[in-house]
Amino acid sequence: MQQTMPTAAGAAPARRRKERIDRGIKARSDDVFALTSYREMLYVAIPPAIPVVLLLVLPLILPIYWQKVLLSAAVFAVLAMSWDFLASVGMVSLGQALFFGVGAYVAGILDHYLGLPVWLSIPLGTLFGGLICTVLLLPVLRLRGIYFAMVTLVLPLMFERIIEATGLLGGTEGLTGLTSFPNPWIELYLIGTVVLLTLFGFRRLMTSDYGLVLKGIRDNDRSVMSAGLNIYWYKAQALFIGGAICAFCGAYMTHVQMFVGMPAFALDYSILPIATAVVGGMGTFAGSVLGAFLLVPLSEFLRGVGGWRTVLYALSLVGFIVLLPEGIFHYVRRKYHQFERWVGVEASS
Amino acid sequence: MADNQQNREKPILLRVDGLSKSFGGVHAVVGVSFELRRNELLGIIGPNGSGKTTLVNLITGFLRPDAGRVIYGGRDITGWMPYRIARLGIARTFQMVKPFPALPAFKNLVIPLFSPRVKSLAGGRYGDRDSVAKDLLEDVGFERESSVTYKAAGSLPHGYLKRLELAKCLALRADLIILDELFSGLSIAELAGIVPIIEKLMVEGKTVIMIEHRLRELFRIADRVVVLNFGRAIAEGKPAEVMEKDEVKKAYLGSEEEEG
């Protein structure tokens, strides 16, 4: 499995190309599924085990400050997975903040005005957050690409202004003094569990027949329609799924911060998940998680450099995208499953 | 193929009545009417830009007609959404074959097999979609036990992509199958493989509309032909008779030689 790569500089690079070959173990685990040793079983089992182990162990060993960073990274991981999911159904959303904010406010309202406990306000916030956003976006489901994106971008900004102008739901002050989680462990392990459920749930969903239909809508919606499937109904379902898990994040953060206000609709929640998903690698969900757990801590590290923080952060984003345009996860996965070697290309004449 | 006399007695499956559609100032389809009997193979021919594909889009609901009606099995389906029309059993292929390139060929059929029509026809029990898909691909000439069924659809040769499109219609268990230029870009050898599949459909009692430019191959299997020119139906009848008409000759003048 060693890579034999002739040194590039010396050996007259006349004509050569990189040949990529699936490792035998990869082929065996893909199609034939004949695993013959513990080593091969580990090859299959280790990658999905990494996020599980990390999310279980990290809360135990990190200091309090970095626990909060972990929490924030987990939230962005879920938002990014939701974005990735919607994008793979052909709905490019620039407004994850809409789902997040609506979920946050629903939970805040249930807590503040009705006094519901946390274990009710979060599920209800998730459910109604998803429903409200789906209904709001129903009229634009027919729009594709940039038009859908524009509407999703505008809606959260509009909500922010409405709350500011009318002073409803606490206005610019927001709703404060909301119930918190009983203890920080529940906080951390709840979001960790949700990250894992979303990650493995989405990965499984998209390889099921239902997921193929969803992807089909993105690739060729006319063909899906002529198969007798109502694409708007499927898009609405996808929107609800994607919206609800973002709404969960909103409702969750409401209780973590014991506060909900206009920042819940901030542009950060729309833009950062996209950067995360793109840097991590789109279409895999694991890429979104990887991206979030790189970018959010990176942003924290850069706090130390003061005013240059944003510049360095932006530069590193550019760096990732230029150097690994396919996304980090795609790159790592390729290295894991395939070995590469340089082979000479015979001249054609 | 089928005897015309026999066809007369069969019930009318599809009636198109004065269908019109214009895009801005262009009259793509103007007052086209025809009837289609069950188990008939109707060819729709005409020079480029004569409105053939627009007509298909009007029938299958991808476009809404400005005037006229489409009646299928006694039901007025004018202006219905495409998915509702498909559920009634009208399947179509697209002129531009667009498979899901990353998926293996047989997985491309999972989407039509997911259709509520298939579910209801099978009484809710349809079995494993993957194996049904492989059977369907065998029906359209993907060799069983060969790797071609499992290859990514994006890497299939053109001939197989056309068969895949046809298989999508079969997967839907459609009664009326509309083939939009299925023969275009196929070699004689590939055609020889695909024509028997259509003949078999006719034996099974399906009804087929074929939009075609390959007249010679079409005339061998079509029961009846409608000729369009500038959006109007200028002639209708048996293939041999239609080509004798002056209007048709005029419409095809100069372009006929390139065909076949």
Side-chain angles (χ1 to χ4, degrees):
Chain A
M1 241 178 263
Q2 280 299 313
Q3 293 181 19
T4 50
M5 198 186 289
T7 42
R15 295 191 60 136
R16 49 179 207 149
R17 63 187 174 85
K18 213 179 223 177
E19 189 179 56
R20 296 202 174 101
I21 303 160
D22 275 8
R23 297 181 200 280
I25 195 166
K26 150 89 171 146
R28 287 200 292 286
S29 62
D30 260 12
D31 296 333
V32 196
F33 220 90
L35 301 179
T36 52
S37 66
Y38 280 111
R39 190 167 163 275
E40 299 201 340
M41 280 183 232
L42 283 178
Y43 174 86
V44 177
I46 282 179
I50 291 172
V52 177
V53 171
L54 282 183
L55 281 167
L56 285 178
V57 173
L58 277 180
L60 298 175
I61 55 173
L62 288 177
I64 299 245
Y65 176 77
W66 286 99
Q67 281 184 357
K68 293 294 170 202
V69 176
L70 176 77
L71 189 149
S72 172
V75 166
F76 277 111
V78 175
L79 291 178
M81 283 191 279
S82 157
W83 182 85
D84 200 6
F85 171 69
L86 291 177
S88 60
V89 190
M91 294 186 283
V92 178
S93 145
L94 289 180
Q96 296 302 88
L98 171 69
F99 311 124
F100 183 90
V102 171
Y105 264 99
V106 171
I109 291 163
L110 292 176
D111 184 302
H112 187 260
Y113 294 104
L114 301 176
L116 291 185
V118 173
W119 58 269
L120 266 180
S121 71
I122 289 185
L124 288 177
T126 307
L127 183 66
F128 284 101
L131 277 177
I132 291 168
C133 295
T134 310
V135 170
L136 279 175
L137 289 172
L138 273 185
V140 293
L141 274 190
R142 279 161 189 277
L143 305 179
R144 270 190 296 180
I146 192 78
Y147 305 101
F148 181 83
M150 290 313 292
V151 174
T152 53
L153 176 65
V154 165
L155 279 177
L157 302 177
M158 190 187 81
F159 273 116
E160 215 178 331
R161 295 294 143 237
I162 291 176
I163 289 167
E164 188 183 12
T166 60
L168 285 173
L169 306 173
T172 47
E173 302 287 309
L175 303 171
T176 49
L178 303 176
T179 322
S180 70
F181 282 97
N183 67 58
W185 299 113
I186 293 183
E187 235 173 72
L188 280 170
Y189 280 105
L190 176 63
I191 192 73
T193 315
V194 169
V195 169
L196 294 176
L197 284 180
T198 315
L199 171 63
F200 294 112
F202 271 160
R203 282 178 71 86
R204 179 144 198 168
L205 181 74
M206 290 317 275
T207 48
S208 70
D209 288 355
Y210 179 81
L212 290 188
V213 171
L214 293 183
K215 273 192 229 162
I217 292 173
R218 178 196 61 188
D219 291 341
N220 189 352
D221 56 350
R222 285 159 63 90
S223 171
V224 177
M225 259 193 284
S226 56
L229 297 168
N230 182 356
I231 61 166
Y232 305 112
W233 171 234
Y234 281 93
K235 276 184 166 183
Q237 290 174 9
L239 199 55
F240 174 74
I241 297 171
I245 62 162
C246 284
F248 167 83
C249 291
Y252 168 81
M253 284 309 281
T254 293
H255 288 291
V256 169
Q257 298 169 334
M258 297 183 275
F259 160 79
V260 60
M262 283 161 40
F265 287 112
L267 206 53
D268 286 19
Y269 294 114
S270 299
I271 302 302
L272 259 177
I274 303 179
T276 303
V278 171
V279 166
M282 283 164 61
T284 59
F285 304 110
S288 300
V289 177
L290 190 62
F293 280 86
L294 281 176
L295 290 189
V296 175
L298 174 72
S299 156
E300 287 304 320
F301 273 121
L302 290 176
R303 265 183 212 285
V305 297
W308 285 89
R309 176 176 174 233
T310 317
V311 177
L312 289 177
Y313 186 67
L315 278 179
S316 58
L317 277 187
V318 172
F320 276 125
I321 286 166
V322 171
L323 295 175
L324 288 175
E326 56 188 336
I328 301 166
F329 182 73
H330 287 286
Y331 177 79
V332 173
R333 185 171 60 177
R334 188 153 54 74
K335 290 288 176 197
Y336 189 69
H337 285 322
Q338 297 179 323
F339 53 89
E340 302 169 329
R341 62 180 181 208
W342 289 100
V343 290
V345 178
E346 310 95 80
S348 50
S349 56
Chain B
M1 238 203 353
D3 187 1
N4 210 27
Q5 204 60 41
Q6 229 175 1
N7 267 332
R8 282 277 146 71
E9 292 142 29
K10 290 189 172 144
I12 290 172
L13 184 65
L14 177 80
R15 208 170 82 223
V16 173
D17 198 6
L19 221 48
S20 298
K21 176 77 186 177
S22 39
F23 303 103
V26 182
H27 302 291
V29 171
V30 187
V32 171
S33 305
F34 61 86
E35 283 174 354
L36 181 65
R37 288 173 188 277
R38 202 170 270 280
N39 198 214
E40 199 177 9
L41 201 162
L42 177 76
I44 298 180
I45 63 171
N48 286 327
S50 57
K52 301 183 296 291
T53 297
T54 308
L55 184 61
V56 173
N57 284 336
L58 289 172
I59 294 172
T60 52
F62 283 92
L63 289 172
R64 203 177 285 264
D66 298 334
R69 290 191 307 160
V70 181
I71 291 152
Y72 175 77
R75 225 186 298 197
D76 190 341
I77 58 166
T78 322
W80 280 25
M81 294 288 287
Y83 69 89
R84 285 186 67 199
I85 293 178
R87 280 181 201 176
L88 285 180
I90 303 184
R92 64 169 296 184
T93 65
F94 290 90
Q95 202 174 338
M96 293 286 160
V97 284
K98 252 172 95 181
F100 305 114
L103 293 179
F106 73 95
K107 279 279 182 192
N108 271 259
L109 294 180
V110 164
I111 290 170
L113 287 177
F114 207 79
S115 165
R117 175 179 169 81
V118 176
K119 239 174 259 172
S120 64
L121 281 180
R125 285 167 282 110
Y126 201 65
D128 176 32
R129 288 195 191 89
D130 287 0
S131 54
V132 174
K134 286 174 201 164
D135 289 345
L136 282 165
L137 283 184
E138 198 180 5
D139 286 347
V140 296
F142 280 61
E143 299 81 2
R144 188 134 201 155
E145 310 302 333
S146 85
S147 64
V148 71
T149 309
Y150 301 91
K151 259 191 183 159
S155 67
L156 288 179
H158 192 64
Y160 279 101
L161 287 178
K162 293 280 187 173
R163 287 160 194 253
L164 188 59
E165 281 287 297
L166 193 56
K168 283 184 191 167
C169 297
L170 299 187
L172 203 58
R173 297 200 186 177
D175 298 318
L176 170 60
I177 296 174
I178 306 180
L179 305 171
D180 195 352
E181 300 209 8
L182 188 73
F183 290 169
S184 70
L186 294 186
S187 70
I188 303 286
E190 284 168 327
L191 272 177
I194 217 165
V195 167
I197 300 168
I198 295 167
E199 286 173 336
K200 193 169 145 233
L201 288 180
M202 299 309 294
V203 173
E204 284 168 2
K206 307 277 186 195
T207 313
V208 177
I209 296 181
M210 295 187 72
I211 312 285
E212 261 323 317
H213 273 299
R214 309 275 293 252
L215 301 185
R216 194 164 304 164
E217 288 82 0
L218 174 69
F219 287 178
R220 245 174 245 152
I221 52 175
D223 297 314
R224 213 153 47 88
V225 179
V226 172
V227 189
L228 293 187
N229 196 25
F230 293 112
R232 288 170 204 279
I234 56 169
E236 188 188 331
K238 284 191 165 184
E241 295 163 9
V242 158
M243 290 317 282
E244 294 305 311
K245 295 191 180 174
D246 283 343
E247 308 94 300
V248 180
K249 280 184 182 162
K250 213 180 287 174
Y252 265 99
L253 203 68
S255 67
E256 237 252 89
E257 271 65 31
E258 296 165 18
E259 304 296 332

